[in-house]
């Protein structure tokens, strides 16, 4: 029990010294194992925590401990709208030691290119989605890469599927990291009733983009994604392009061609449920030469670009939306071109905008 307490909450030095005394392992080996455990718990959280917690709660209702589940369900009803009102972030959770091991596994870095004013609100467009958005989570839902130090006075809110906030326990876990539903009610509240200095991170390509992510490919789904621009105009929130170099490198995926039965199934899931099932694999738990759910330890570098000043227009026309959308696309391409060679890509590499 004390091991898990230190692993989640303690400092890195406490964990390393405790495990070295216990197992007589070298510091590097202990560190690597802690990194693997930290990433594995997050992958399992991403894939099964919501469903698992729902089933456990239903089971408890059928046991002698039903009162515990009933109390939580009563609390859930009372607290139902909290995710739409900025959530309930916890700096304690965001600073857990586990996230620093998560960061070092890849490693993940956050690069600041410009200052952000605390008197403004922002919408960050995050690209690409990847399979799980690992860079988005680590950089903006934890303090592992120092987002609060790099952008003092700015409160980041990573937006994700609203369906996640209907899952017991999972919803509270997500909110503690500053994660919010990617719907109009939630975004409107944060940008209009939560003061200034807010930054909502939207993975613009969403599920559609995740279907095409594969190592060696730099493409984004953006041409017809204009809703985030309209939101920015309605609230006068500045747009900030963000590109994560390496996000597509950590998993290998089976890509189904357009018109195939596999792509048809994926699109049906995306349309009716909100996410698209992907067939992917990473490395195994005990060896990087076997297949498994762990991502490959490839560097992910997230570059936050220059903010684009956006005027406040209560009812923007389609022409105005198109205009600022084109400025955003150009800014994203320029950001990619400026930093691609610094993070392992050839000068000839071109960002594909679909």
């Amino acid at each position: 029990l004390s091991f898990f307490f230190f692993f989640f909450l303690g400092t890195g030095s406490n964990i390393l010294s405790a495990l070295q005394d216990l197992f007589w392992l070298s510091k590097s080996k202990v560190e690597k194992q802690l990194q693997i455990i930290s990433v594995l718990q997050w992958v399992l959280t991403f894939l099964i925590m919501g469903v698992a917690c729902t089933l456990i709660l239903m089971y408890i209702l059928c046991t002698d401990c039903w009162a515990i589940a009933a109390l939580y369900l009563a609390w859930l009803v009372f607290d139902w709208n909290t995710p739409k009102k900025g959530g309930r972030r916890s700096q304690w959770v965001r600073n857990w030691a586990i996230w620093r091991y998560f960061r070092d596994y890849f490693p993940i870095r956050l690069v600041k290119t410009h200052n952000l004013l605390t008197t403004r609100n922002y919408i960050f467009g995050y690209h690409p989605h990847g399979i799980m958005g690992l860079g988005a989570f680590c950089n903006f839902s934890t303090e592992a890469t120092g987002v609060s130090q790099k952008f003092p006075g700015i409160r980041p809110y990573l937006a994700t599927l609203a369906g996640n906030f209907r899952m017991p326990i999972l919803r509270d876990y997500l909110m503690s990291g500053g994660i919010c539903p990617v719907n109009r009610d939630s975004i409107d509240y944060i940008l209009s009733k939560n003061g200034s200095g807010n930054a909502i991170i939207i993975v613009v390509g969403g599920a559609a983009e995740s279907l095409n992510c594969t190592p060696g490919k730099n493409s984004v789904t953006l041409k017809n994604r204009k809703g985030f621009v309209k939101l920015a105009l309605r609230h006068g929130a500045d747009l900030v392009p963000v590109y994560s170099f390496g996000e597509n490198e950590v998993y290998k995926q089976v890509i189904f061609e357009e018109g195939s039965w596999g792509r048809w199934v994926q699109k049906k899931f995306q349309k009716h449920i909100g996410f698209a099932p992907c067939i992917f694999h990473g490395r195994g738990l005990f060896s990087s030469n076997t297949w498994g759910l762990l991502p490959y330890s490839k560097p992910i570098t997230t570059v936050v670009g220059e903010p684009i000043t956006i005027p406040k227009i209560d009812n923007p026309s389609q022409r105005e939306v198109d205009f600022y959308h084109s400025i955003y696309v150009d800014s994203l391409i320029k950001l990619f071109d400026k930093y691609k060679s610094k993070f392992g890509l050839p000068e000839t590499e071109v960002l594909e905008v679909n």
Side-chain angles (χ1 to χ4, degrees), residues 63-80:
T63 69
D64 293 338
C65 298
W66 63 269
I68 297 173
L71 282 172
Y72 178 80
L73 289 174
W75 160 254
L76 192 63
V77 172
F78 174 78
D79 195 53
W80 190 254

Side-chain angles (χ1 to χ4, degrees), residues 175-193:
M175 284 194 290
S176 67
I179 300 177
C180 68
V182 62
N183 58 31
R184 181 168 172 175
D185 288 343
S186 176
I187 294 172
D188 282 348
Y189 183 91
I190 292 170
L191 295 180
S192 63
K193 298 178 182 179

Side-chain angles (χ1 to χ4, degrees), residues 328-338 351 353:
Y328 178 86
V329 173
D330 289 342
S331 296
L332 178 64
I333 293 172
K334 288 176 181 177
L335 179 70
F336 178 84
D337 289 339
K338 182 176 180 179
L351 178 62
V353 180

Side-chain angles (χ1 to χ4, degrees), residues 187-225:
I187 294 172
D188 282 348
Y189 183 91
I190 292 170
L191 295 180
S192 63
K193 298 178 182 179
N194 201 41
S196 59
N198 302 293
I200 296 180
I201 297 89
I202 299 177
V203 186
V204 178
E209 190 173 86
S210 68
L211 298 179
N212 295 313
C213 68
T214 188
K217 186 173 184 179
N218 288 284
S219 66
V220 296
T221 301
L222 183 57
K223 280 184 179 178
N224 297 315
R225 300 293 175 109

Side-chain angles (χ1 to χ4, degrees), residues 194-263:
N194 201 41
S196 59
N198 302 293
I200 296 180
I201 297 89
I202 299 177
V203 186
V204 178
E209 190 173 86
S210 68
L211 298 179
N212 295 313
C213 68
T214 188
K217 186 173 184 179
N218 288 284
S219 66
V220 296
T221 301
L222 183 57
K223 280 184 179 178
N224 297 315
R225 300 293 175 109
K226 300 180 180 180
F228 73 105
V229 178
K230 189 172 184 178
L231 280 170
L233 285 164
R234 288 180 61 244
H235 293 285
D238 293 347
L239 288 171
V240 182
V242 179
Y243 197 86
S244 259
F245 294 91
E247 184 72 64
N248 285 346
E249 308 299 316
V250 296
Y251 280 111
K252 295 178 181 178
Q253 180 183 190
V254 177
I255 305 292
F256 293 102
E257 298 295 328
E258 289 292 339
S260 66
W261 68 269
R263 183 54 65 98

